[in-house]
Amino acid sequence: ITGKENVEGAEEVVEMVDRNSLPLGMVPRPLMHTFNLLHRGIGLVVAKDASVDFHTPDFPDLYVHRRTDDKRVFPSMYDMFVGGVSSANEDPRTTAAREVSEELGLSRALSEPTAISRALFDCTICTSYNRCIVTVYCFQFDSSCDMISWQPEEVAWGSFVPYSVIESSAKQCIHRMLSAGSWPGEYPFALTLQNQDSKSFADFESEVDWDSADFVPDGLLVWSEAWLRWGNRSQES
């Protein structure tokens, strides 16, 4: 499908792209999922009262949410990213603002151009069920004015979590997936690194059992294979 006139009336239209993110045509979103077509999407972290900076030991807490039980894919799993698919002709930053506004009620992302960072990096997720070029951003949550309100269809629970807890919990989830033969990538880069804070779970009270929390595999791929590499490069520069 190459023209808008062919997809009028479709519920949502997305762009099929090549590996350089250049559009090849427009398709209805269900068709993109059915044939696992390469498309564009975003991942966004919500950082509490500070920007993401790997040069400082005081890394901000990040917002982690649990998906609803009736999601089409990965129901009830945790995610450190707000994610979404870009609509046809939609700029990735616009996608990020739209998604965080819809899912977490952070409407300042739509009204203030500086609320969302510049693109941190791009990466490509390529699995048997999802092929997406992901652009990653950060929303800096301001406790003095921002308020989170979950989209009931998307989010069942959420809270700011210390990064050391996220790091430890994500690694344990990856270990479980490796043991079960369900890890969708190569040997995870995350497991070649040491945790920044060995205390992790001990100093954090939570209703969630982070030792056994299951994370969305696609988010783990972005975190393990792209986020951590980007962080290492940032520290070296």
Side-chain angles (χ1 to χ4, degrees), residues 37-51:
L37 302 175
L38 184 63
H39 59 283
R40 294 183 297 108
I42 63 92
L44 178 142
V45 295
V46 177
K48 186 177 182 181
D49 295 322
S51 61

Side-chain angles (χ1 to χ4, degrees), residues 25-100:
M26 292 182 289
V27 297
R29 181 166 175 169
L31 197 64
M32 177 268 290
H33 289 303
T34 299
F35 294 100
N36 197 13
L37 302 175
L38 184 63
H39 59 283
R40 294 183 297 108
I42 63 92
L44 178 142
V45 295
V46 177
K48 186 177 182 181
D49 295 322
S51 61
V52 170
D53 186 356
F54 281 91
H55 292 96
T56 174
D58 299 321
F59 202 87
D61 294 356
L62 301 183
Y63 199 81
V64 178
H65 70 277
R66 181 168 61 82
R67 295 161 67 87
T68 55
D69 297 339
D70 56 358
K71 288 290 291 180
R72 184 182 65 86
V73 293
F74 309 129
S76 308
M77 288 190 174
Y78 293 88
D79 204 343
M80 66 190 83
F81 296 98
V82 172
V85 174
S86 293
S87 299
N89 300 316
E90 185 177 45
D91 177 80
R93 200 165 183 274
T94 302
T95 307
R98 172 174 58 78
E99 290 289 346
V100 77

Side-chain angles (χ1 to χ4, degrees), residues 5-227:
E5 67 280 6
N6 293 322
V7 291
E8 289 179 355
E11 182 175 336
E12 183 179 359
V13 177
V14 301
E15 288 176 337
M16 176 174 62
V17 300
D18 65 14
R19 63 182 180 178
N20 296 312
S21 199
L22 298 175
L24 299 173
M26 292 182 289
V27 297
R29 181 166 175 169
L31 197 64
M32 177 268 290
H33 289 303
T34 299
F35 294 100
N36 197 13
L37 302 175
L38 184 63
H39 59 283
R40 294 183 297 108
I42 63 92
L44 178 142
V45 295
V46 177
K48 186 177 182 181
D49 295 322
S51 61
V52 170
D53 186 356
F54 281 91
H55 292 96
T56 174
D58 299 321
F59 202 87
D61 294 356
L62 301 183
Y63 199 81
V64 178
H65 70 277
R66 181 168 61 82
R67 295 161 67 87
T68 55
D69 297 339
D70 56 358
K71 288 290 291 180
R72 184 182 65 86
V73 293
F74 309 129
S76 308
M77 288 190 174
Y78 293 88
D79 204 343
M80 66 190 83
F81 296 98
V82 172
V85 174
S86 293
S87 299
N89 300 316
E90 185 177 45
D91 177 80
R93 200 165 183 274
T94 302
T95 307
R98 172 174 58 78
E99 290 289 346
V100 77
S101 176
E102 290 175 354
E103 291 193 18
L104 299 183
L106 295 172
S107 57
R108 189 166 59 88
L110 298 172
S111 60
E112 292 186 18
T114 59
I116 292 181
S117 70
R118 61 177 176 79
L120 303 180
F121 58 86
D122 295 305
C123 62
T124 300
I125 296 298
C126 188
T127 69
S128 61
Y129 52 82
N130 185 24
R131 298 172 66 234
C132 183
I133 297 176
V134 181
T135 305
V136 175
Y137 298 89
C138 176
F139 178 91
Q140 185 173 323
F141 181 89
D142 186 342
S143 295
S144 68
C145 63
D146 289 322
M147 182 176 296
I148 289 177
S149 176
W150 304 331
Q151 184 179 15
E153 300 82 8
E154 299 284 341
V155 180
W157 174 91
S159 181
F160 283 103
V161 179
Y163 185 72
S164 60
V165 173
I166 297 172
E167 183 181 38
S168 295
S169 184
K171 286 184 177 181
Q172 290 192 30
C173 183
I174 292 173
H175 275 297
R176 291 195 299 273
M177 295 179 72
L178 284 171
S179 298
S182 59
W183 176 247
E186 298 179 354
Y187 188 80
F189 178 69
L191 300 189
T192 68
L193 305 175
Q194 296 296 317
N195 280 12
Q196 297 298 312
D197 184 354
S198 60
K199 294 183 291 184
S200 58
F201 302 127
D203 296 336
F204 181 60
E205 294 184 5
S206 173
E207 62 193 272
V208 177
D209 181 3
W210 293 107
D211 281 305
S212 59
D214 289 324
F215 283 78
V216 172
D218 291 8
L220 284 180
L221 276 173
V222 172
W223 176 75
S224 173
E225 307 310 310
W227 171 272

